[in-house]
Amino acid sequence: MNIQNNERAFKPAEYKSAVKPVWCPGCGDHSVLLSIQRALAELALPPEEVAVVSGIGCSSRIPAYTNCYGFHGVHGRSLALATGLKVARPDLTVLVASGDGDGFSIGGNHFLHACRRNVDLTYIVMDNRIYGMTKGQPSPTTEPDWDTAIAPGGTGLSPFHPLVIALASGANYIARAFSGDISGCAKLIVDAIRSPGFSFVQILSPCVTFRPDQQKGWKDFIRPAMVPETDDHGRAARRLMTDDGFNIGVLFRGARPPYQPQPLDHRDPSHLEAEFVL
Amino acid sequence: MNIQNNERAFKPAEYKSAVKPVWCPGCGDHSVLLSIQRALAELALPPEEVAVVSGIGCSSRIPAYTNCYGFHGVHGRSLALATGLKVARPDLTVLVASGDGDGFSIGGNHFLHACRRNVDLTYIVMDNRIYGMTKGQPSPTTEPDWDTAIAPGGTGLSPFHPLVIALASGANYIARAFSGDISGCAKLIVDAIRSPGFSFVQILSPCVTFRPDQQKGWKDFIRPAMVPETDDHGRAARRLMTDDGFNIGVLFRGARPPYQPQPLDHRDPSHLEAEFVL
Amino acid sequence: MTQTGQETISVVLTGSGGAGVMTAGQTLLDAAASLGLYGLMTRSTGPQIRGGEAAALLRFGRRPVLSHGDRFDLLVALDFENISRFGAEIPLGASSVVIADPAAGDPPEFVVASGARIVHVELAKLAKTIPGGRISMVALGALAQMIGLPESAIVGAVAASVGKKKPDAIVTSEKAVALGAAAAATLTPGARIAAPDRLDSERWSITGNEATGYGAIKGGIRFVAGYPITPATEILEWMAPTLRQCGGVLVQAEDELASINMIIGSSFGGAPSLTATAGPGLSLMIESLGLAVASETPLVVVDVMRSGPSTGIATKSEQSDLNIAVNGLHGDAPHVVVAPTDVSDCLLTAQWATHLAESLQTPVIMLSDQSIGQARAIIDRPEDVAFTATRDIWTGGESPYLRYGLTDSGVSAMAIPGTPGGQHTADGLTHNERGTPSSQAHDHVAQLDKRQRKLENFDYSDHWAEIDGDGEIAVVTWGSSTAPIREAIAAARDRGAKIKLIALRLIAPAQPQKLAAALAGVKRVLVIEQSHSGQFWRYLRAHYDLPGEVTPIFRSGPLPFRPGEIGGYLAHGGL
Amino acid sequence: MTQTGQETISVVLTGSGGAGVMTAGQTLLDAAASLGLYGLMTRSTGPQIRGGEAAALLRFGRRPVLSHGDRFDLLVALDFENISRFGAEIPLGASSVVIADPAAGDPPEFVVASGARIVHVELAKLAKTIPGGRISMVALGALAQMIGLPESAIVGAVAASVGKKKPDAIVTSEKAVALGAAAAATLTPGARIAAPDRLDSERWSITGNEATGYGAIKGGIRFVAGYPITPATEILEWMAPTLRQCGGVLVQAEDELASINMIIGSSFGGAPSLTATAGPGLSLMIESLGLAVASETPLVVVDVMRSGPSTGIATKSEQSDLNIAVNGLHGDAPHVVVAPTDVSDCLLTAQWATHLAESLQTPVIMLSDQSIGQARAIIDRPEDVAFTATRDIWTGGESPYLRYGLTDSGVSAMAIPGTPGGQHTADGLTHNERGTPSSQAHDHVAQLDKRQRKLENFDYSDHWAEIDGDGEIAVVTWGSSTAPIREAIAAARDRGAKIKLIALRLIAPAQPQKLAAALAGVKRVLVIEQSHSGQFWRYLRAHYDLPGEVTPIFRSGPLPFRPGEIGGYLAHGGL
Ligand SMILES: Cc1ncc(C[n+]2csc(CCOP(=O)(O)OP(=O)(O)O)c2C)c(N)n1
Ligand SMILES: Cc1ncc(C[n+]2csc(CCOP(=O)(O)OP(=O)(O)O)c2C)c(N)n1
Ligand code: SF4
Ligand code: SF4
Ligand SMILES: [Mg+2]
Ligand SMILES: [Mg+2]
């Protein structure tokens, strides 16, 4: 991000639009929206200098609920869209919002390559371990025995490890948050935005409608990570590979410089003709 | 795979078709082809019970050079195609051949999900750290300073870690080979085919035309992995995250059962009408 | 139930989320069916995933009803919150009756403007008099009473749906229904439905998406890969357990690029294979559909169309994916496109699609749509047809085996992995008869010719279109537009007009001779479709010579065509 | 060089990989250009990545040559290995001359069958007499001598290409050229090229792909994302360094799904943006092209077409992506499709494409093809045109800001991130004027109308087509078919025929009034294109009423149209 030295203070409410969320009452995403508002206010970023980009899903509806510039793209492609935006407009603060289906299933390839490219984006995945918007199909983070209509009795597939994938692909900042803790969540988002390069924040955000187990269940499991954050790739890999998915906090913070290709010059195109002229 | 108890012995030459490879003289892929032939002969698999599936690239040309059933699909989708084939036909031995561009760039998402699904496939990626077929563009494993026309002076992007990604996604067998050592390579392929579930073998296979540095250079770096193979995810994650890319051998061997959904019954469809009848 | 009521009746229940509108609607449909009526139910919901406003739109009839009518005879509003969002979907007229709870406040503008008679029933208050009583059940009782459905039928349907395990719930519901019926009995009735003729045929209750799934399994589909997307998900969800009963499996793919490639792989392995999706997913499958064309791999792709472009309106219908289905592939890539004409026809069309794919070794796109797929209808049991997956399979013979041999029919026998001597590499590169890549012009042309020939030479029999009636005026249409047109034409015929209906089930390849024969003697052709740019009309212009004066009639979704609207076009068209 | 030679001359150099055929061809082109000749060079290679057989196909002329002729006057074969693979691409006739090394053995069948005169020059042996001497340079000397190009021009071109740093290499090459020329001097000459008129205009040596890249930058493109694919990669490779000189950047994406989305993002950010691809990549972009249509995001997608379907023949040309470009999107998704008519026209067309995309806030697909994109031509400096990226940018004003306001023109001002008060969310969901998602029919229809209106109301000026000549017969064509047709028509006119040429540069939206005006008085229309299924003809049928008798002429690639072939069609068409 590009931290502005702004003169005036901003209130969280200034980052909220008039559009009423379609989310179910109690959906974790309401809290994520609040957390983002708080984070932006804390950073005192003028709303027009922030862009929120997303794909398709309940979680991906978030851009229109903010008072920032937004792009609600197609399913799974938000990171690519955001990459183009940020490379073309390094002056903007670009947040990317996604879900476990949008981000890890159809969007998996862009996740790999956004981590690798390390453009200065903040990637927020609202992980509810289900496809909410299409009414309850398993995602790559769904438990193997979770029963759904499309996979009666469960898929039998173990969830994969998005945080390790992010690390292996080159993400520069990896954190986990819980939507139930709005201020903790907001703090992590502030930190992620401040961290240069690609920052990945997995937010456990319960789906009250298709995963009624989560709202109560998760509260029992979730805890602040015991081990302090690391910048060591090997240690981070081991730790993230074996964690149970409920450690909250910054789990890896690297030091790779962000990718921000720049023009070399601003010459008039006509000089290029020299190459053709005989 | 389904190891057959075959009565007769097979020769490597029986796995080779009459189609002449388009590869440059000296390309590492010639040796990979030989290794596959040797491996199949060693396993005494009748050629018609083996299918080789690929995408697009120099490396992906390999199916037609074998005397097995083959599918030369579109760029980046070989794993999905092979998944459908193997799930529908568990009796076949299915190899998937790819390149670093086909497999890790455009094909990255299917890589993640094939590892996660853990269907009994053997995935061979001929990694030459370049796009050979399109004449020399950087791939996700290309060094940041490798100069190309499309990225003059290099991309500046560090290569990512496909083996860790495989591990984090759920691959059950992870190995690295070098095409220059045909018998070592063949041995690993035999082992990978025998290993149940998704087996990933990265084969360093030099591109003599667009990476003339590799043929000599790699020989100096490559060595058998010092540390014995592990089945521990945490240890494997740390090790693969920090290895320099030149350790050869089996690096991880897990014990996840393969995914092979089965019909529950073979009833006549007409029984389904009961659901509709009033 | 009297003998003197209307032939069909249309009712709608609205309410905000959780009020039980959909369950009540379903119960009503079941009740009507139990009485021997035909019926149709569609659903409308707000953008909320849960808890938003909802409408159950129903129509019953003594004859099959496969689309909605011109207006609703009865609207029962459990509350008025946000229901004006549905205004355009709920046409009312002066003869319509609106049952509303006085506690729900003033009716919205569109209700008032319609001139409908508003009657009050204290739904909420009545419900509260019964412990556990639901407002939706009170409404149901009132509704049934108003349109002349016997209370017993409702009670029976409630019992059947609640199930034997909850006798208390059944009793509670019965009481609520009775209260509603009693309250409505004091009201001046509006339109009532006539009692049906004897229920002499086997009836089904089925959605278009279920019929598609069942047709596909009947046709021989044994492998499905798919990625959830509205409004196609139910096909996958219905097939997941049923397929496994019949020797098949379903895999949820990571995305649509994977689904299409998985079924290319499974089909290559010998299993008749299918995927189901909607416009955005079809878009992602385009590249690999080309691979299926070039590699001659049979497969079925069901596209349940929704309003486009892009994400559009996921829950509303439109016929605007015709262009991409027919012309969306790069290069010259002939393939088959079929479309069901109504809910019931999904069964035959899906079964036929499988048969065509397997017989022709080509991808077949089946264009269903939201209004067909997600509608539940009470229909006569569809006739059995004999289409099954019949692939020309190579079991041995000439050597070397020519996977892409230049046969007269254009279809060449396919060797399935495992068959000794049949080894070959299927390829999307231009190839020769053996399958070996070639960049020679003669191979390229020979294979392009072959793939065109196999589609052109095939006998599509009478299934290419549904043709009905005679006259100098013909309506040419397709898909879900057919049912309201059928009804409008019937009405026009009742007034003495002579109109022929031609609904294409086979969209591509075009059948110029068959259509010319069907249009012999026709002087005026009306082309009717639900797309903003007249995609079907343009397609017909491109591939057919239509006789006489041609009038294209097209408009976008999301609102469905209504018989009266079509009747207007027919009249305007010179009737 | 004499004044009495032919107007144009065609020569081809073939040899197996590494023999230097391409370098020799390039040198020859440079030499001819230095003499004031126009020229064209295309390349053919075998399937091998390296070391396979190769052919450099050249044509020179006193007037611009933008396509190949009917036959080659001279074939120089460094060896005969596998060159029969190119037989169909190298038409020879009885008047053709073949220079071959006697050591290369018997000429292949297609050479013998042509009746061409075969003359022997001991190319390899002569090359060996010079230390480091290359057989290709000897061949070049012989070739130049045969067709009447002065040796000095060749030597000059060699020097220019080898560069000053390697004086020894220049001397070696000079010697080889001289030996070849001397050897050929003893032979009976064949066709010779006439000396050009004075070189009075500025000439460029440029490929279609370079011209596309330059036109795009001139038009204002400042952000490019792309994924390598033959035959479009050179656009990306040319733009990567040049764009950075002009204030822009290029990103290599992980796939085409990413490229198209990256440029949607960059364009949303305010940067005129482009990607370049071929059929398989375009297929993958389809879904997100729909997003660009619905979100009204300007962008340019260049599709350098190759033989399809599927992977097809990556290195050979065809005009068969017209269907997908025009009709490939799901839903009703109007957008712009343009096509350059030749190598030189790529500049103007790419520049115009950028202008249209920016002016109309819509995706523009530019259909180039392999035969244009990868051909190098010596052309007159293209005229400057004034098209630049002109986006209607919102800088403040009404509140709330209506991103998708229903203006008369259909274009609504776009607020760029960073602009206070302009915050909005661009969306692929059906939305209202503000951009808020809506599933209301009136919003859906209003926005569909708006997006259609903006394309229909725009003034495409004279650039919509290239129109040339007059007569009762008109040829309607597009893209790379234009140049050989132009030549055939010129020849027919020389014989007294009156034929009008209309080459559409604007494929979509259709311009029925403009074409009708252009065809006024025409009695017969020949529609000519290079596709197997007549895609262009079908498209014209769908959108235009062509007057008089219409004769469609179409065939697939990979072989290019030749003027004589077109001449045959013209004659057959009644001339
Ligand atoms: C190409 C495409 N495929 C499928 C869909 C349907 N779809 C919409 S949202 C979604 C899944 C959303 O899941 P997730 O990202 O986890 O978001 P959630 O709703 O759970 O927040 C799917 C499959 C689509 N819109 N586009
Ligand atoms: C959809 C699509 N995009 C791009 C291409 C062009 N293409 C062909 S092969 C290739 C890269 C191959 O690289 P890799 O997989 O590393 O194989 P190698 O040639 O190096 O063995 C590309 C980009 C294509 N065929 N299809
Ligand atoms: S369905 Fe689940 S994820 Fe979607 S809005 Fe409701 S609670 Fe949230
Ligand atoms: S270009 Fe490279 S990868 Fe391709 S065949 Fe040649 S050496 Fe092998
Ligand atoms: Mg989710
Ligand atoms: Mg490679």
Side-chain angles (χ1 to χ4, degrees), chain D residues 100-445:
Chain D
D101 192 322
D106 289 337
E109 182 46 34
F110 84 92
V111 172
V112 177
S114 71
R117 174 163 60 99
I118 300 170
V119 299
H120 284 136
V121 176
E122 293 185 311
L123 301 168
K125 213 163 151 191
L126 288 172
K128 281 212 192 94
T129 63
I130 308 158
R134 301 197 61 184
I135 178 171
S136 58
M137 289 297 126
V138 178
L140 202 53
L143 189 161
Q145 168 66 32
M146 281 295 275
I147 64 171
L149 295 187
E151 199 179 310
S152 59
I154 305 287
V155 169
V158 169
S161 85
V162 173
K164 289 190 191 129
K165 282 175 214 144
K166 297 186 180 173
D168 293 357
I170 296 180
V171 173
T172 307
S173 292
E174 270 181 27
K175 283 187 192 159
V177 168
L179 275 183
T186 66
L187 305 171
T188 317
R192 296 171 78 88
I193 178 87
D197 301 331
R198 219 165 33 80
L199 172 61
D200 47 7
S201 58
E202 181 182 330
R203 297 278 167 82
W204 286 8
S205 168
I206 196 166
T207 69
N209 280 344
E210 289 168 354
T212 300
Y214 180 50
I217 297 181
K218 263 189 108 170
I221 294 294
R222 289 300 176 271
F223 183 90
V224 173
Y227 188 72
I229 188 165
T230 308
T233 309
E234 298 92 352
I235 297 178
L236 305 173
E237 292 183 335
W238 188 85
M239 292 187 89
T242 51
L243 204 52
R244 288 189 82 186
Q245 297 294 335
C246 303
V249 291
L250 178 143
V251 174
Q252 180 179 324
E254 55 270 34
D255 58 24
E256 289 87 350
L257 303 158
S259 340
I260 183 81
N261 278 284
M262 284 181 185
I263 66 171
I264 291 174
S266 58
S267 179
F268 176 70
S273 302
L274 171 145
T275 187
T277 189
L282 181 64
S283 294
L284 288 172
M285 295 180 185
I286 288 296
E287 188 201 11
S288 297
L289 274 167
L291 174 64
V293 169
S295 64
E296 304 198 42
T297 308
L299 49 87
V300 177
V301 176
V302 181
D303 172 14
V304 187
M305 295 182 288
R306 56 194 227 185
S307 298
S310 196
T311 316
I313 314 177
T315 54
K316 311 259 176 199
S317 204
E318 204 166 73
Q319 294 186 286
S320 55
D321 290 355
L322 184 127
N323 274 350
I324 182 175
V326 172
N327 283 322
L329 280 59
H330 77 267
D332 287 296
H335 57 280
V336 176
V337 180
V338 296
T341 56
D342 57 39
V343 173
S344 170
D345 192 46
C346 286
L347 199 166
L348 178 136
T349 304
Q351 194 176 342
W352 193 41
T354 309
H355 170 74
L356 293 176
E358 292 288 319
S359 303
L360 290 165
Q361 297 180 22
T362 199
V364 175
I365 299 175
M366 167 169 157
L367 291 176
S368 178
D369 67 27
Q370 186 276 335
S371 79
I372 286 180
Q374 294 192 320
R376 175 168 293 283
I378 309 299
I379 58 171
D380 289 318
R381 180 185 188 288
E383 265 176 62
D384 281 311
V385 287
F387 297 129
T388 49
T390 42
R391 198 185 287 195
D392 184 1
I393 297 205
W394 187 88
T395 49
E398 87 269 32
S399 174
Y401 162 61
L402 300 180
R403 168 64 188 101
Y404 301 109
L406 298 173
T407 60
D408 285 345
S409 68
V411 175
S412 24
M414 186 168 175
I416 302 301
T419 316
Q423 291 101 302
H424 65 278
T425 292
D427 210 317
L429 281 169
T430 294
H431 45 252
N432 62 18
E433 290 184 274
R434 179 88 180 86
T436 308
S438 163
S439 48
Q440 303 282 322
H442 63 92
D443 289 323
H444 187 57
V445 175

Side-chain angles (χ1 to χ4, degrees), chain C residues 135-302:
Chain C
I135 177 170
S136 57
M137 288 297 126
V138 178
L140 201 53
L143 189 162
Q145 168 66 33
M146 283 294 276
I147 64 171
L149 294 188
E151 198 180 311
S152 60
I154 305 285
V155 168
V158 168
S161 86
V162 173
K164 291 187 190 133
K165 282 176 215 144
K166 298 190 181 168
D168 294 358
I170 296 180
V171 172
T172 308
S173 292
E174 270 181 25
K175 284 188 190 157
V177 168
L179 275 184
T186 66
L187 304 172
T188 317
R192 297 172 77 85
I193 179 87
D197 302 330
R198 217 166 34 81
L199 170 62
D200 47 6
S201 59
E202 181 183 330
R203 296 277 168 82
W204 285 7
S205 167
I206 195 166
T207 68
N209 280 344
E210 289 169 354
T212 300
Y214 179 49
I217 298 182
K218 263 189 109 172
I221 294 295
R222 289 300 175 270
F223 183 89
V224 172
Y227 188 72
I229 188 165
T230 307
T233 308
E234 298 93 352
I235 297 179
L236 305 172
E237 292 183 335
W238 188 86
M239 292 187 89
T242 51
L243 203 53
R244 288 188 82 186
Q245 296 293 337
C246 304
V249 291
L250 178 144
V251 175
Q252 179 179 325
E254 56 270 32
D255 58 23
E256 289 87 350
L257 303 158
S259 339
I260 182 83
N261 278 284
M262 284 182 184
I263 66 171
I264 292 175
S266 57
S267 179
F268 176 71
S273 301
L274 170 145
T275 189
T277 189
L282 181 63
S283 293
L284 289 172
M285 294 180 185
I286 287 298
E287 188 201 10
S288 298
L289 274 168
L291 174 64
V293 168
S295 65
E296 303 198 42
T297 307
L299 49 89
V300 176
V301 176
V302 181

Side-chain angles (χ1 to χ4, degrees), chain C residues 86-153:
Chain C
F86 299 131
E89 294 176 51
I90 308 179
L92 299 169
S95 62
S96 308
V97 177
V98 176
I99 300 185
D101 192 324
D106 289 336
E109 181 46 34
F110 83 94
V111 172
V112 176
S114 71
R117 174 162 60 98
I118 299 170
V119 299
H120 285 137
V121 176
E122 293 184 311
L123 301 168
K125 212 163 154 191
L126 289 172
K128 281 211 191 93
T129 64
I130 309 159
R134 302 198 60 185
I135 177 170
S136 57
M137 288 297 126
V138 178
L140 201 53
L143 189 162
Q145 168 66 33
M146 283 294 276
I147 64 171
L149 294 188
E151 198 180 311
S152 60

Side-chain angles (χ1 to χ4, degrees), chain C residues 85 283 308 310 312 318 320-321 324 328 330-332 428 430 440 444 449 452 532-533 535 538 541-542 544-545 557, chain D residues 85 283 308 310-312 318 320-321 324 328 330-332 428 430 440 444 449 452 532-533 535 538 541-542 544-545 557:
Chain C
R85 203 173 252 159
S283 293
S310 197
E318 203 165 75
S320 56
D321 291 355
I324 183 175
H330 77 267
D332 287 296
T430 294
Q440 302 282 320
H444 186 58
D449 284 345
Q452 184 181 316
H532 187 256
S533 57
Q535 300 186 8
R538 300 266 178 215
R541 280 183 61 110
Y544 293 91
D545 290 308
Chain D
R85 203 174 251 160
S283 294
S310 196
T311 316
E318 204 166 73
S320 55
D321 290 355
I324 182 175
H330 77 267
D332 287 296
T430 294
Q440 303 282 322
H444 187 57
D449 283 345
Q452 185 181 316
H532 187 255
S533 56
Q535 300 186 9
R538 300 267 179 214
R541 278 184 62 111
Y544 293 91
D545 291 307

Side-chain angles (χ1 to χ4, degrees), chain A residues 22-24 27-29 58 128 132-133 206-210, chain C residues 49:
Chain A
V22 299
W23 297 317
C24 307
C27 174
D29 298 349
C58 295
N128 55 11
M133 176 141 277
C207 172
V208 294
T209 299
F210 299 106
Chain C
I49 310 305

